[in-house]
Amino acid sequence: MTDKYCVIGNPIAHSKSPEIHPVYAAQTGQDLVYERCLAPLDGFEATVQRLVAEGYRGANVTLPFKLEAARVCTRLEERARAAGAVNTLSFANGEIVGDNTDGPGLVADITRNAGVSIQGKRVLLLGAGGAARGALLPLIQQGPREIVIANRTVATAEGLAQDFGRYGIPITASGFADVEGSFDIVINATAGSIAGDVPPVAPGVFGPDALALDMMYGNQPTVFMEFAARHGAGVRDGLGMLVEQAAEAFAIWRGVRPDTSTVMKKMRP
């Protein structure tokens, strides 16, 4: 019997997930279908319950439901608890289990695809919203020397630094304009690139041989990538993170990890 999965969001027509998972299924010999599911803005929980009743095995969750997804779960994995958000749901044995694969996808893209080690590095995380929160625990688990969270509202960054300080890595908060020193890895976790805005940090944040990654992606480099490249950084957008987080979700559901290079070549020849 073919297993059913989907991605839930509103809007949802733009999602690339239905292009990714069938490739992984063919590659690993898994019998499944993967669809888009448009949920009403006030009907996410009802949509999840309908999917469970219809025999779906799991679902990905995209905007604007990642926070609400955490609340409908009967159990949360540690990454989801830390993030306070869920992007991967598994339905089995009467449970709705929530996980967050965004951070692992980011880490995999940096370490595997870009070939950059995070261990011992100084990392600057721009933004303190849900995307930043989802990235922090997987980044911490790589053993960086220090993480600085910069945000327009410093108090929000300070709250995030306090929440994740218990994991043993030095984490400090700053305003964008007050960031001090240079960094090995700079991650833009704001949504500024959608509107053509670059976080107002000094060009000096990009250290020698720095990697700058924007979680946003598109057909052209983002404004953040252009800014970072002008100041000597190597740049990446969020497509690799998308492909890798999908592979992590696929492994959770199917117990086998697909090769992401095939999908990366397909989506960006």
Side-chain angles (χ1 to χ4, degrees):
M1 182 177 175
T2 301
D3 291 331
K4 296 185 292 185
Y5 298 86
C6 67
V7 55
I8 311 168
N10 187 330
I12 198 59
H14 67 285
S15 174
K16 293 185 181 296
S17 293
E19 301 171 34
I20 297 173
H21 285 275
V23 178
Y24 289 161
Q27 181 193 110
T28 58
Q30 299 290 305
D31 183 13
L32 62 84
V33 295
Y34 189 101
E35 307 158 336
R36 293 178 178 89
C37 177
L38 177 67
L41 292 176
D42 60 351
F44 175 77
E45 183 173 1
T47 298
V48 171
Q49 296 298 340
R50 174 179 63 80
L51 294 173
V52 171
E54 292 178 359
Y56 281 71
R57 296 289 303 277
N60 286 128
V61 181
T62 188
L63 297 174
F65 298 122
K66 292 184 181 183
L67 296 179
E68 190 173 353
R71 295 193 290 271
V72 306
C73 292
T74 58
R75 178 162 59 87
L76 293 175
E77 303 293 358
E78 183 184 11
R79 297 181 301 201
R81 286 198 304 273
V86 162
N87 80 330
T88 302
L89 298 171
S90 301
F91 310 139
N93 303 319
E95 281 201 296
I96 301 173
V97 181
D99 206 336
N100 192 307
T101 67
D102 286 332
L106 172 70
V107 165
D109 189 50
I110 292 172
T111 59
R112 186 181 304 129
N113 300 334
V116 174
S117 173
I118 298 170
Q119 186 173 10
K121 302 294 179 63
R122 194 166 191 243
V123 177
L124 174 61
L125 187 60
L126 302 174
R133 178 175 283 275
L136 270 166
L137 180 57
L139 285 171
I140 289 167
Q141 290 171 335
Q142 293 293 306
R145 174 161 56 94
E146 177 189 10
I147 297 176
V148 175
I149 305 168
N151 195 52
R152 184 167 280 107
T153 304
V154 180
T156 308
E158 289 174 338
L160 210 52
Q162 184 173 355
D163 286 348
F164 285 85
R166 66 182 185 275
Y167 290 102
I169 297 295
I171 303 177
T172 56
S174 171
F176 287 132
D178 302 318
V179 176
E180 296 181 353
S182 62
F183 295 81
D184 304 295
I185 300 170
V186 181
I187 300 166
N188 183 19
T190 76
S193 290
I194 296 175
D197 296 329
V198 177
V201 293
V205 300
F206 304 107
D209 303 315
L211 173 67
L213 186 147
D214 196 333
M215 288 190 184
M216 300 294 112
Y217 63 90
N219 294 327
Q220 302 296 326
T222 68
V223 290
F224 172 78
M225 292 167 66
E226 292 173 342
F227 170 70
R230 285 198 303 272
H231 299 289
V235 296
R236 296 184 70 81
D237 69 4
L239 182 63
M241 174 182 171
L242 172 73
V243 171
E244 294 291 347
Q245 68 80 23
E248 181 76 7
F250 191 92
I252 290 169
W253 292 329
R254 311 303 296 184
V256 58
R257 178 169 294 280
D259 175 14
T260 57
S261 62
T262 305
V263 172
M264 287 293 290
K265 291 173 184 174
K266 175 183 170 69
M267 300 187 72
R268 180 170 287 156

